[in-house]
């Protein structure tokens, strides 16, 4: 294990994670003692439009993967339209490797509840939902408990803190489908339908939940709001980079000594994150990694100094995504890792559109063949051709995301594929696992 140098330790900027280690921070008393609900009191004295402007000024960008500017999204909600408005928090967190929202909701659920109340006040919503992944039972319990505590204290319900603002907050558990993290599939699921993406336009800002104006934001996005209200836009922008402001929770997993969540200003590098995580495990050399979950193209040891912000990662040919860095070493096989991710996408494809439904089905079969030592050189062309027919031709981002590791692993690690095909690497799958691969 390597001990991080002081200059690297200084990269840690605990903002959203700062209460995680405080005893009982998930209970309202402890939360209030640590500035909890002070931002709400301040926000309720401001005009809702000024809050939207504050979020615009802060440069906050969505933490759910696409990095869309949050203030702009809130500003799209039509005002004075006579329709109910909704805030929906996307707490589905199903991307392989991603683990930032669940720990936040488990350790500090009130920061999300407080953010929900402020955001709802800003967009003039009187009903909000947190759509949480069904398997996340413990986090859901903590959240429901936080909602009940906030209600009992007058932070939720009717006439909040005597201001005349009403808000009902519902914690809704999904049934555990990755596609229900896609915002329009989430809305269908919340309405009681099968979770499948909707055709856009119209967009949720005008026709969202129950065909009414709706903001859908990630957990980390909404939990950032109280800090911005208290600290101000300039303070928020003092962290991160010019176009990617603020701190970000990076979740590190894989071949490092201390996996976990590390909150740093956007723009930290993987080299620094690995140092913070105690270095690579003994005997392991970094070989490939995902900057933002399995839907983002793989990067390699050449990219250790890429700034992990929206622009830096894009310039390196990948996507910042959910800042889930999964770290693989020289003892891991990029072909097998890609196959395992594809199994996931194949399983989670909702089946609505042909490129994703059929393409992932076939690609899994081609990978099984290659990994069983029965692949051909043409299989590599078939994989690239299939990706070409999925990327940009699928109905939603799940299809596009499935192609990321296929094309990037072929770009950087074609030799590994050839070693299976030409018999230099021993097969990883047996003939028994080949059923349906031809
Ligand atoms: C297949 C798929 C799964 C997604 N899963 C999530 C998720 O679990 N959580 C999330 O916040 N966003 C997820 N997204 C992105 C959402 O559609 C949406 O962009 C996001 O919730 C917007 O919030 P933000 O602006 O705060 O980032 C997913 C997108 C796709 C295509
Ligand atoms: S891309 Fe996949 S998950 Fe998305 S709509 Fe098409 S079949 Fe469903």
């Amino acid at each position: 294990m390597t001990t991080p140098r002081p200059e690297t330790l200084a990269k840690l900027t605990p903002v959203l994670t700062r209460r995680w280690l405080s005893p009982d921070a998930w209970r309202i008393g402890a939360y209030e003692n640590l500035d909890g609900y002070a931002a709400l009191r301040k926000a309720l004295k401001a005009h809702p439009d000024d809050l939207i402007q504050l979020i615009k000024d802060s440069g906050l960008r969505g933490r759910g993967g696409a990095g869309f500017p949050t203030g702009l999204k809130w500003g799209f909600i039509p005002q004075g339209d006579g329709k109910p408005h909704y805030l929906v928090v996307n707490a589905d967190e199903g991307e392989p490797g991603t683990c930032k929202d669940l720990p936040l909701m488990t350790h500090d659920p009130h920061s999300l509840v407080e953010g929900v109340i402020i955001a709802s006040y800003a967009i003039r919503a009187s009903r909000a939902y947190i759509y949480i992944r069904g398997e996340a039972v413990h986090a859901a319990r903590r959240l429901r408990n936080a909602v009940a505590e906030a209600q009992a204290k007058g932070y939720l319900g009717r006439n909040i803190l005597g201001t005349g603002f009403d808000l009902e907050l519902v914690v809704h558990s999904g049934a555990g489908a990755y596609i229900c993290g896609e915002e329009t599939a989430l809305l269908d699921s919340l309405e009681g339908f099968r979770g499948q993406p909707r055709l856009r336009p119209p967009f949720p800002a005008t026709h969202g939940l129950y065909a009414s104006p709706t903001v859908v934001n990630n957990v980390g996005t909404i939990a950032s709001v109280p800090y911005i209200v208290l600290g101000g836009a300039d303070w928020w922008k003092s962290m991160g980079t010019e176009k990617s402001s603020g701190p970000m929770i990076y979740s590190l997993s894989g071949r490092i000594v201390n996996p976990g969540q590390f909150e740093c200003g956007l723009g930290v590098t993987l080299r620094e994150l690995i140092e913070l995580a105690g270095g690579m495990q003994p005997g392991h050399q970094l070989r490939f990694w995902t900057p933002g979950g399995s839907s983002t193209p793989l990067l390699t040891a050449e990219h250790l100094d890429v700034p992990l912000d929206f622009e830096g990662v894009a310039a390196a040919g990948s996507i910042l995504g959910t800042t889930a860095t999964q770290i693989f070493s020289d003892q891991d096989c990029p072909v097998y890792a890609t196959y395992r991710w594809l199994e996931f996408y194949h399983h989670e494809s909702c089946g609505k559109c042909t490129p994703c439904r059929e393409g992932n089905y076939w690609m899994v079969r081609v990978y099984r063949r290659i990994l069983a030592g029965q692949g051909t050189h043409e299989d590599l062309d078939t994989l690239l051709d299939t990706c070409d027919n999925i990327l940009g031709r699928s109905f939603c981002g799940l299809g596009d995301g499935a192609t990321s590791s296929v094309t990037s692993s072929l770009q950087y690690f074609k030799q590994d594929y050839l070693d299976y095909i030409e018999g230099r690497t021993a097969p990883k799958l047996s003939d028994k696992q080949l059923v349906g691969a031809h």
Side-chain angles (χ1 to χ4, degrees), residues 4-12 264 271-273 275-276:
R5 291 164 301 155
E7 61 268 33
T8 313
L9 270 179
K11 296 269 172 177
L12 283 173
C264 299
R271 189 186 298 282
E272 290 161 338
L273 286 172
E275 192 178 329
L276 289 170

Side-chain angles (χ1 to χ4, degrees), residues 330-392:
D330 51 352
Q331 296 180 39
D332 300 312
C333 171
V335 185
Y336 189 72
T338 302
Y339 160 65
R340 297 292 291 139
W341 282 319
L342 267 187
E343 287 269 25
F344 170 81
Y345 289 105
H346 166 229
H347 182 264
E348 295 295 325
S349 168
C350 81
K352 182 163 180 158
C353 70
T354 311
C356 167
R357 184 187 62 237
E358 302 299 322
N360 283 314
Y361 171 88
W362 283 113
M363 287 206 292
V364 164
R365 269 146 189 78
V366 173
Y367 270 89
R368 284 192 192 148
R369 207 153 61 212
I370 294 172
L371 287 161
Q374 297 182 27
T376 63
H377 292 91
E378 290 72 44
D379 280 339
L380 303 188
D381 298 331
T382 305
L383 287 176
L384 288 177
D385 188 40
T386 312
C387 286
D388 251 9
N389 281 293
I390 297 176
L391 187 67

Side-chain angles (χ1 to χ4, degrees), residues 160-371:
I160 294 171
L161 299 177
T163 58
F165 172 55
D166 303 333
L167 181 68
E168 187 184 353
L169 172 56
V170 177
V171 178
H172 177 95
S173 291
Y178 174 53
I179 190 57
C180 288
E182 194 284 336
E183 59 182 16
T184 59
L186 186 156
L187 294 176
D188 260 22
S189 166
L190 202 50
E191 288 182 12
F193 298 108
R194 180 177 178 175
Q196 286 190 315
R198 296 177 180 173
L199 186 66
R200 280 166 292 183
F203 291 95
T206 54
H207 294 76
L209 192 63
Y210 307 118
S212 294
T214 302
V215 163
V216 182
N217 268 142
N218 171 258
V219 169
T221 314
I222 293 297
S224 300
V225 170
Y227 300 101
I228 298 173
V229 169
L230 276 187
D234 288 340
W235 165 75
W236 186 261
K237 284 196 294 193
S238 70
M239 294 167 281
T241 59
E242 196 193 335
K243 290 187 179 156
S244 302
S245 65
M248 183 79 193
I249 304 173
Y250 293 85
S251 37
L252 269 67
S253 60
R255 303 289 198 178
I256 45 190
V257 174
N258 292 317
Q261 292 77 28
F262 297 83
E263 190 176 13
C264 299
L266 276 158
V268 68
T269 64
L270 186 72
R271 189 186 298 282
E272 290 161 338
L273 286 172
I274 291 179
E275 192 178 329
L276 289 170
M280 295 292 293
Q281 287 173 6
H284 290 266
Q285 294 288 328
L286 175 70
R287 187 152 186 239
F288 60 100
W289 54 289
T290 65
S294 60
S295 301
T296 61
L298 299 177
L299 294 177
T300 69
E302 281 169 34
H303 302 106
L304 269 169
D305 297 310
V306 165
L308 298 179
D309 56 25
F310 293 103
E311 293 71 33
V313 179
S318 190
I319 306 167
L320 184 67
T322 54
T323 56
T325 50
Q326 300 166 274
I327 294 158
F328 296 84
S329 78
D330 51 352
Q331 296 180 39
D332 300 312
C333 171
V335 185
Y336 189 72
T338 302
Y339 160 65
R340 297 292 291 139
W341 282 319
L342 267 187
E343 287 269 25
F344 170 81
Y345 289 105
H346 166 229
H347 182 264
E348 295 295 325
S349 168
C350 81
K352 182 163 180 158
C353 70
T354 311
C356 167
R357 184 187 62 237
E358 302 299 322
N360 283 314
Y361 171 88
W362 283 113
M363 287 206 292
V364 164
R365 269 146 189 78
V366 173
Y367 270 89
R368 284 192 192 148
R369 207 153 61 212
I370 294 172
L371 287 161

Side-chain angles (χ1 to χ4, degrees), residues 47-53 56 70-87 118-126 165 204-207 212-215:
H47 190 278
D49 288 343
D50 293 338
L51 287 172
I52 296 179
Q53 190 57 47
K56 282 184 183 165
T70 307
L72 192 62
K73 189 183 270 191
W74 292 9
F76 288 152
I77 297 294
Q79 296 303 335
D81 55 345
K83 285 187 171 182
H85 297 174
Y86 296 104
L87 174 73
I118 298 171
S120 301
Y121 173 70
I123 64 164
R124 286 83 154 179
S126 55
F165 172 55
T206 54
H207 294 76
S212 294
T214 302
V215 163

